[in-house]
Amino acid sequence: MDLTSLSDIYRCVVDNCVKEYELSDTARDIWLDPLVPVKMESGTFVLATDIDFKRDTLNSLYVPYIEEQLKNILGVPMKCEIIVDPAAAASKSSVETLMNTDNINDTIGTINNKITYTFNNFIVGPSNNLAFVAAKTVAKKQHEKFNPLFIYGDSGLGKTHLLSAIQNEMQSNYPGINIIYIPAETFTNEFLHAISSNNVEEFDEKYRSADALLIDDIQFIAGKDQTEEKFFHIFNELYNQNKVIVLTSDRPAKEIKSISDRLRTRFSSGLIADVKPPEYETRLAIIQRKAELLNFSIGDEVIDYIATKLKSNIRQIEGVVTKLNALYMVSQLKPTITVAQNVIKDIVTDHQPIPVTIDKIIGEVGKIYNIDPEEMRSQRRTANISQARKVAIYVIQDVTGLPYETIGKEFNGRDHSTVVYAIKSVKEEMERDSSFRSVVEDIIKNIKTNQ
């Protein structure tokens, strides 16, 4: 745990007390969690409660536990003093209650809907300068040297912001321009639907008539042979007509191993620009600019706290500012470090990856091998179905870590030994065949990226 505040230290103390002394949830909820860390000085850790009765009970029952865990965590003996301060305790209670107010999420949604991604509200720094300049150039249709523009970087660093800014700038400067901006997953699903409904010609006409094609997360099409083939021909036609093509990815084109060489070569033929996690100064500017857009005032010490705590994800940084603003609008809760600390905890939790479902994994593998998920779950043993099934079993175990018995039940009750054999077979083939290994690795990466 990063013990950078009194609250961090005390949270760790409580967790240890519950674990070491087997305290009940009720004891934690009533006696320990409501305490507010006030200060730590001269070998004393001061906590505040709201009434004398609670202080007396805490001193007799829980202070020895707290002192023992403070020594374990801090490495030095530490006295615990409980003081009565109704204002401090009420402040903590109000913050925790307000964080769960139903109106907050509605307010956040309203705030986000009012913000348009443009170049003017994109904060530029050394980490993203090349991508920003290239995107602005492309938006002016001065894209000959940059076509295609390939922007890559981790999630939450501004790739989607730049795509939206290009779209908004071009629509403003060139009325009537035909811009298609779409995630690669949606492109894939549209194409598969066009095949099943016998509307491929209509699909082709839609994309080949575009003046600008902006595709987010292009790595998603890797390993999907039919989709790759279709995109290859669309790409060539637009490129030969000098239409704008901008692609984003979570990695450089050369690292999308299971994509065809001809597509990888074309993706690399224009300008490749990366976006990296923002530097401290850029993070400060992002927070300040976001607050300005919301007409919301945040103190310098709070801005510094947010910039120091959140270092690698712009979306999270902006999300904290948005939630602070929503809390103020709904409950007049001013943006202090204590409030920011609670918001950051919630935002980071909210942005944790959603557990991947087995259905999603089987569906993704099915798209790669053109096998219906139900066939993979069936008892059929044709070579292509059997291969897809083994890959799906391997990926499920790799991504979810589920027990073999649980995985077997998903495939029509197959037993433990069948799952072990499937995983072993895939591992051995990955060692023998680098192309097959790349396909499997890309399936896993795509699934984890799109959680």
Side-chain angles (χ1 to χ4, degrees):
M1 176 178 288
D2 180 18
L3 303 178
T4 57
S5 70
L6 294 179
S7 295
D8 288 338
I9 295 170
Y10 182 62
R11 220 171 12 246
C12 190
V13 166
V14 172
D15 289 342
N16 286 5
C17 284
V18 170
K19 181 179 178 181
E20 292 294 324
Y21 313 120
E22 299 182 348
L23 302 181
S24 68
D25 291 340
T26 301
R28 177 176 186 152
D29 292 342
I30 293 176
W31 300 108
L32 298 181
D33 279 348
L35 290 173
V36 181
V38 177
K39 61 183 177 179
M40 182 173 62
E41 60 182 21
S42 303
T44 300
F45 195 93
V46 181
L47 296 164
T49 188
D50 55 351
I51 57 176
D52 291 339
F53 169 75
K54 287 185 179 179
R55 178 191 59 191
D56 296 339
T57 302
L58 287 161
N59 281 331
S60 62
L61 295 179
Y62 295 102
V63 162
Y65 294 160
I66 295 172
E67 289 179 344
E68 183 174 353
Q69 293 308 318
L70 282 170
K71 180 180 178 181
N72 290 340
I73 292 166
L74 299 175
V76 293
M78 185 71 59
K79 290 290 184 182
C80 174
E81 179 183 357
I82 309 293
I83 65 171
V84 176
D85 185 350
S91 173
K92 177 174 181 180
S93 176
S94 65
V95 169
E96 291 175 342
T97 301
L98 289 169
M99 302 300 270
N100 296 318
T101 301
D102 290 339
N103 290 336
I104 296 299
N105 289 334
D106 293 338
T107 304
I108 290 172
T110 302
I111 291 169
N112 287 335
N113 288 336
K114 291 180 179 179
I115 296 177
T116 302
Y117 288 135
T118 67
F119 290 119
N120 287 336
N121 57 34
F122 186 89
I123 301 300
V124 186
S127 57
N128 57 28
N129 184 59
L130 176 59
F132 174 79
V133 172
K136 285 201 74 172
T137 303
V138 166
K140 296 175 182 176
K141 297 182 74 172
Q142 299 172 1
H143 58 283
E144 289 83 358
K145 295 180 180 179
F146 297 163
N147 214 24
L149 173 58
F150 190 97
I151 302 173
Y152 74 91
D154 289 337
S155 176
L157 296 181
K159 303 188 301 294
T160 300
H161 188 143
L162 287 175
L163 279 186
S164 297
I166 292 171
Q167 180 185 34
N168 291 326
E169 184 92 351
M170 295 186 80
Q171 287 176 336
S172 175
N173 294 337
Y174 309 101
I177 189 172
N178 182 14
I179 302 173
I180 297 179
Y181 172 18
I182 192 170
E185 182 173 9
T186 304
F187 176 90
T188 300
N189 292 335
E190 278 190 17
F191 176 53
L192 295 177
H193 178 72
I195 293 174
S196 63
S197 59
N198 200 27
N199 283 325
V200 175
E201 288 186 8
E202 184 178 328
F203 176 89
D204 289 345
E205 177 59 27
K206 171 185 175 180
Y207 284 93
R208 287 173 174 168
S209 63
D211 297 310
L213 180 61
L214 316 179
I215 303 278
D216 212 356
D217 290 325
I218 193 64
Q219 78 279 352
F220 184 84
I221 73 170
K224 301 174 176 67
D225 293 342
Q226 285 182 294
T227 305
E228 283 193 35
E229 180 73 18
K230 177 56 64 179
F231 187 78
F232 173 78
H233 292 296
I234 290 172
F235 180 100
N236 279 348
E237 187 156 339
L238 295 179
Y239 181 83
N240 291 334
Q241 295 178 39
N242 196 31
K243 301 298 179 65
V244 173
I245 304 173
V246 184
L247 312 170
T248 73
S249 172
D250 64 346
R251 66 201 105 151
K254 65 182 180 180
E255 293 183 12
I256 309 177
K257 300 297 184 183
S258 59
I259 208 163
S260 65
D261 287 338
R262 59 183 183 173
L263 269 180
R264 192 183 302 113
T265 299
R266 279 160 178 76
F267 292 169
S268 304
S269 63
L271 177 66
I272 299 176
D274 65 337
V275 286
K276 298 186 179 75
E279 310 78 10
Y280 172 75
E281 293 77 12
T282 304
R283 298 197 298 272
L284 289 178
I286 289 168
I287 298 166
Q288 291 165 340
R289 181 58 176 158
K290 184 73 172 182
E292 288 172 6
L293 289 171
L294 299 173
N295 194 27
F296 179 51
S297 178
I298 304 179
D300 290 343
E301 72 283 357
V302 178
I303 292 175
D304 173 75
Y305 180 81
I306 298 169
T308 302
K309 282 291 184 180
L310 297 177
K311 300 178 181 179
S312 60
N313 192 303
I314 294 172
R315 193 175 298 137
Q316 288 183 355
I317 293 170
E318 293 184 333
V320 168
V321 179
T322 300
K323 189 159 186 176
L324 286 173
N325 186 32
L327 283 166
Y328 183 73
M329 292 172 64
V330 171
S331 308
Q332 286 72 56
L333 191 63
K334 293 183 179 180
T336 64
I337 288 180
T338 300
V339 176
Q341 186 178 49
N342 282 277
V343 169
I344 288 172
K345 182 175 65 176
D346 286 352
I347 289 288
V348 171
T349 300
D350 289 346
H351 282 78
Q352 293 304 309
I354 300 169
V356 179
T357 65
I358 290 178
D359 286 344
K360 180 174 181 179
I361 294 173
I362 294 175
E364 177 70 9
V365 174
K367 289 177 182 178
I368 297 294
Y369 285 92
N370 197 26
I371 301 292
D372 186 89
E374 290 308 310
E375 289 186 303
M376 264 190 279
R377 285 186 159 105
S378 73
Q379 295 291 351
R380 295 185 62 188
R381 297 177 181 235
T382 58
N384 59 338
I385 294 175
S386 179
Q387 178 72 347
R389 184 184 297 127
K390 285 190 289 187
V391 170
I393 288 172
Y394 176 87
V395 174
I396 288 169
Q397 202 283 324
D398 181 274
V399 173
T400 70
L402 287 170
Y404 293 160
E405 293 82 356
T406 303
I407 297 173
K409 289 177 182 178
E410 291 291 332
F411 292 89
N412 209 11
R414 284 173 166 81
D415 60 23
H416 177 278
S417 61
T418 302
V419 174
V420 171
Y421 172 76
I423 293 170
K424 180 181 178 183
S425 297
V426 172
K427 285 182 177 178
E428 290 175 350
E429 188 168 352
M430 288 173 69
E431 291 175 359
R432 291 193 307 266
D433 186 342
S434 60
S435 297
F436 175 73
R437 182 177 66 249
S438 295
V439 170
V440 175
E441 289 175 348
D442 270 342
I443 290 172
I444 292 171
K445 190 159 188 176
N446 280 341
I447 287 168
K448 290 181 177 179
T449 300
N450 288 282
Q451 290 182 50

